[in-house]
Amino acid sequence: MSPIPWWQNVTPHADVREGRIDESLFAASLEGVQFAGQPPDEYSKAEVFFRKTYLTEGLRSLLTKLLRHVAGVAAANPVATLQTSFGGGKTHTELAIYHLLEHSDESPKVDQVRELVEAASLSRPLPVGSS
């Protein structure tokens, strides 16, 4: 049995299907989202960011540990080393952490974030930061 091609198994977002993808979206930066003018909603709005982000097993694990650590539920090393190659998701991980903690009311509107919060044995992410 041969594998089925990915394009026969998944449905891309409408912007991809309709050829409306803005390639500048792939040039994200934490500084640009937090401090610069008007970054795209895909990076600047927590709910949009998490709706368009696939949470890999590694990202889920990191965010769950982070939530537990910030809430004081589990003592853990607060330093995480992101070991990914160029284009491997380091900035995306930073943005996920930023939105999860800085926009703790908006982020859990997305099912996968609510699942993370529940996996961390919390009712909601604890807000941190100073925006």
Side-chain angles (χ1 to χ4, degrees):
M1 181 174 165
S2 62
I4 298 170
W6 70 267
W7 61 87
Q8 293 178 2
N9 280 322
V10 298
T11 303
H13 287 117
D15 51 356
V16 174
R17 287 191 318 266
E18 297 165 9
R20 295 183 291 113
I21 192 78
D22 177 1
E23 292 191 25
S24 70
L25 292 177
F26 299 106
S29 75
L30 182 58
E31 179 183 21
V33 168
Q34 190 173 16
F35 302 112
Q38 289 293 342
D41 289 352
E42 285 82 358
Y43 294 126
S44 64
K45 296 190 180 195
E47 187 174 353
V48 175
F49 174 82
F50 281 116
R51 286 199 192 284
K52 290 195 167 193
T53 295
Y54 175 77
L55 297 181
T56 62
E57 183 179 330
L59 185 53
R60 281 181 182 279
S61 175
L62 182 126
L63 295 177
T64 301
K65 288 176 186 173
L66 173 77
L67 286 167
R68 292 176 60 80
H69 180 77
V70 169
V73 174
N77 185 345
V79 177
T81 302
L82 302 179
Q83 298 176 346
T84 59
S85 60
F86 179 77
K90 293 177 290 295
T91 301
H92 212 80
T93 299
E94 291 173 344
L95 290 170
I97 292 168
Y98 168 74
H99 284 306
L100 188 61
L101 300 178
E102 187 70 20
H103 302 113
S104 59
D105 291 334
E106 188 179 340
S107 296
K109 292 179 182 176
V110 179
D111 290 341
Q112 63 180 349
V113 176
R114 240 185 342 272
E115 291 168 8
L116 285 177
V117 173
E118 291 169 6
S121 303
L122 301 172
S123 58
R124 71 182 197 86
L126 297 178
V128 296
S130 57
S131 64

